Amino acid sequence: MSGGTGGTEDEKGGLRTALAGLTTRGRSFLAAGVAAVICAYVLGQSDLLRVGLLLAALPLVCATVLYRTRYRVAGSRRLSPGRVPAGSEARVHLRMDNVSRLPTGLLMLQDRVPYVLGPRPRFVLDRVEAGGRREVSYRVRSDLRGRYPLGPLQLRLTDPFGMCELTRSFSTYDTLTVIPRVEPLPTVRLTGEAKGYGEGRQRSLALAGEDDIIPRGYRYGDDLRRVHWRLTARYGELMVRREEQPQRSRCTVLLDTRGIAYQGAGPDSAFEWAVSGTASSLVHMLERGFSVRLLTDDGSSVPGEGADGFTGASQQSADAAGLMMDTLAVIDHSDGTGLSRAYDILRSGNEGLLIAFLGDLDEEQTTVLAKMRQRSGGAVAFLLDSETWVREPTDVPGPLGRSEDRLRMLREAGWTAVTVPRGADLADLWRLADRQRTGAASTGSTAGGGVR
């Protein structure tokens, strides 16, 4: 048997493996045949001897034939799609091909999947003719993000008489990636006219490549509208002037993954909301034409290639988005206690727009965040108070003193900061941050930072 990617099953055992696959019927025939042979020898009955030999030989022949035909069935698996958001379904297509010249018997197909994706799928396939194929499919779904292996595919072969069953496993695996949920976000100008945010593209002078920093000689194919006639007259040859090149604005999305900053676990926890918000922001800013990167509290930067770790040219944006989504699919709490490593990454220069999803903060970490604002053209913080996420909702509001102090310190440092209550909608908070920046929201309505 072979998998869809060329994997083949390992050769194991010989006659012992075949005999181990005898069913209850096969073992009964074999025992009856041996008993008949012994009785025939003791009693001297030649007819009984022939019957005993027939009974004993039938299961052995079935096992041998079935064992020798085990490599004549090929299988493949296809995921549609291979990357899905949490809570969405993916379909797995299985295909079995009989590549031998003889029809198969009854085939029992089973695929191994993690328990979080649902029950283990099992299928019974009727007799497959020579050169024929059978296709089946099943659905998987997970509310928890992650990377889940599918396989190996197991096939149980049986002979027409039901004397023997052999289980064989393919060697190939496939991986289903469950990424965080991505919410569509409204288009707002969270940082006004701050550098690094706007239409997603700026104009800058080309410093390298075909357009050098000084005018150059005319080359075949250059647009005649770029000819610098004054320099042409001075040098006596056609000179081409440099022109402005589009430059993508930058955006860094910071995710606080410190284990001490969050309480609770599960798909409805504060940390999962922060991961989903990070994914939504990354996708939104890429769609706006920004060059983005994912930064965590431990200093890890994704995609990590290109200039300063940001996404490269527009044709690379899709690959960069996939890489960041794959990273968020498996990201977990870190053992760190502070945000200093992330600050070291940001302190090198103006990083454009900074969007941060933060857990519980103490005064020291709030001070570090205030310094980050000085290195960015604009900064937006979504502060999750984990206590409100683990506490059962009541009509009596909980204490907000510490959270309010952190918000005040961030706002005084120039951050646009809002708190995230339990079950908040990111799109509403996105609009709230815009209203807070423009001053449209009153101080009282933004103090809690929540969306009612």
Side-chain angles (χ1 to χ4, degrees):
M1 295 186 294
S2 62
T5 58
T8 59
E9 120 184 277
D10 296 331
E11 298 185 13
K12 295 182 179 180
L15 182 60
R16 180 180 302 178
T17 303
L19 294 178
L22 290 177
T23 62
T24 302
R25 179 185 297 177
R27 295 176 186 274
S28 300
F29 267 70
L30 181 60
V34 172
V37 170
I38 295 175
C39 292
Y41 177 77
V42 174
L43 300 176
Q45 297 292 328
S46 59
D47 293 337
L48 182 59
L49 178 61
R50 287 191 291 269
V51 173
L53 291 176
L54 177 62
L55 292 176
L58 183 58
L60 296 177
V61 172
C62 291
T64 302
V65 173
L66 188 63
Y67 180 77
R68 290 185 176 277
T69 59
R70 67 192 187 282
Y71 293 111
R72 312 306 296 277
V73 179
S76 63
R77 182 192 299 104
R78 178 173 57 87
L79 300 180
S80 178
R83 182 189 291 122
V84 295
S88 300
E89 290 185 344
R91 183 169 289 275
V92 183
H93 301 269
L94 303 177
R95 172 177 163 178
M96 303 303 300
D97 293 274
N98 181 13
V99 297
S100 66
R101 299 180 179 179
L102 298 176
T104 68
L106 191 66
L107 301 180
M108 284 164 281
L109 191 63
Q110 175 179 277
D111 205 7
R112 300 184 62 180
V113 300
Y115 71 95
V116 296
L117 297 182
R120 181 171 297 181
R122 294 181 174 89
F123 304 94
V124 177
L125 305 181
D126 293 332
R127 178 177 177 271
V128 182
E129 65 279 4
R133 71 178 60 169
R134 296 290 186 272
E135 294 184 3
V136 294
S137 65
Y138 64 93
R139 294 177 296 178
V140 291
R141 179 182 182 274
S142 175
D143 292 327
L144 299 175
R145 54 187 177 81
R147 292 173 61 86
Y148 301 102
L150 301 179
L153 187 64
Q154 294 180 334
L155 187 64
R156 186 160 52 177
L157 308 175
T158 62
D159 65 280
F161 302 101
M163 297 290 180
C164 183
E165 291 182 354
L166 292 181
T167 301
R168 294 291 179 259
S169 297
F170 294 90
S171 60
T172 55
Y173 291 80
D174 287 284
T175 301
L176 175 67
T177 303
V178 181
I179 63 176
R181 295 183 180 92
V182 176
E183 300 181 25
L185 300 179
T187 302
V188 297
R189 293 177 61 88
L190 292 176
T191 57
E193 302 300 328
K195 183 179 179 181
Y197 192 80
E199 298 303 322
R201 291 187 179 271
Q202 300 174 341
R203 304 295 296 183
S204 66
L205 295 178
L207 301 180
E210 294 184 353
D211 298 295
D212 300 330
I213 195 170
I214 59 176
R216 57 171 174 81
Y218 175 82
R219 299 172 184 170
Y220 178 77
D222 286 338
D223 192 341
L224 291 178
R225 290 174 295 182
R226 295 174 53 193
V227 174
H228 196 294
W229 296 110
R230 183 176 300 177
L231 291 177
T232 297
R234 178 184 301 177
Y235 291 103
E237 61 175 329
L238 287 176
M239 301 296 295
V240 179
R241 60 175 176 267
R242 59 179 179 171
E243 65 177 12
E244 291 183 335
Q245 295 281 325
Q247 182 183 13
R248 304 180 75 189
S249 299
R250 292 179 172 181
C251 175
T252 298
V253 182
L254 172 63
L255 174 61
D256 182 10
T257 64
R258 295 172 300 138
I260 62 175
Y262 299 92
Q263 300 180 32
D268 296 327
S269 63
F271 180 69
E272 292 301 322
W273 192 98
V275 174
S276 177
T278 300
S280 302
S281 300
L282 289 170
V283 172
H284 177 72
M285 301 312 295
L286 279 173
E287 291 175 348
R288 292 287 307 277
F290 279 72
S291 179
V292 303
R293 70 173 172 183
L294 168 65
L295 182 64
T296 60
D297 57 284
D298 60 4
S300 300
S301 179
V302 181
E305 298 181 357
D308 300 325
F310 287 86
T311 54
S314 57
Q315 60 267 23
Q316 300 174 350
S317 295
D319 294 337
L323 179 59
M324 289 184 286
M325 290 299 105
D326 289 344
T327 301
L328 290 176
V330 297
I331 201 167
D332 202 354
H333 293 295
S334 68
D335 297 329
T337 59
L339 302 172
S340 57
R341 293 184 179 179
Y343 173 69
D344 292 338
I345 301 296
L346 295 171
R347 66 188 304 178
S348 59
N350 192 307
E351 300 296 336
L353 176 64
L354 175 61
I355 303 175
F357 290 85
L358 309 164
D360 293 335
L361 299 173
D362 55 22
E363 185 174 354
E364 179 182 356
Q365 304 313 317
T366 306
T367 303
V368 175
L369 283 170
K371 296 179 182 179
M372 291 183 186
R373 174 63 182 88
Q374 302 172 2
R375 301 295 181 179
S376 62
V380 183
F382 297 94
L383 183 60
L384 286 85
D385 186 357
S386 62
E387 292 184 0
T388 64
W389 284 77
V390 297
R391 187 174 58 242
E392 291 297 329
T394 60
D395 296 334
V396 181
L400 296 175
R402 179 177 176 179
S403 177
E404 284 300 311
D405 290 340
R406 304 296 177 254
L407 281 176
R408 177 180 52 80
M409 294 178 62
L410 291 177
R411 289 168 181 168
E412 289 177 354
W415 283 80
T416 299
V418 296
T419 56
V420 181
R422 182 177 182 179
D425 182 72
L426 180 59
D428 293 337
L429 294 177
W430 199 262
R431 297 187 185 94
L432 178 62
D434 179 58
R435 294 198 302 268
Q436 182 185 116
R437 180 196 63 82
T438 58
S442 62
T443 303
S445 63
T446 59
V451 180
R452 305 297 181 185

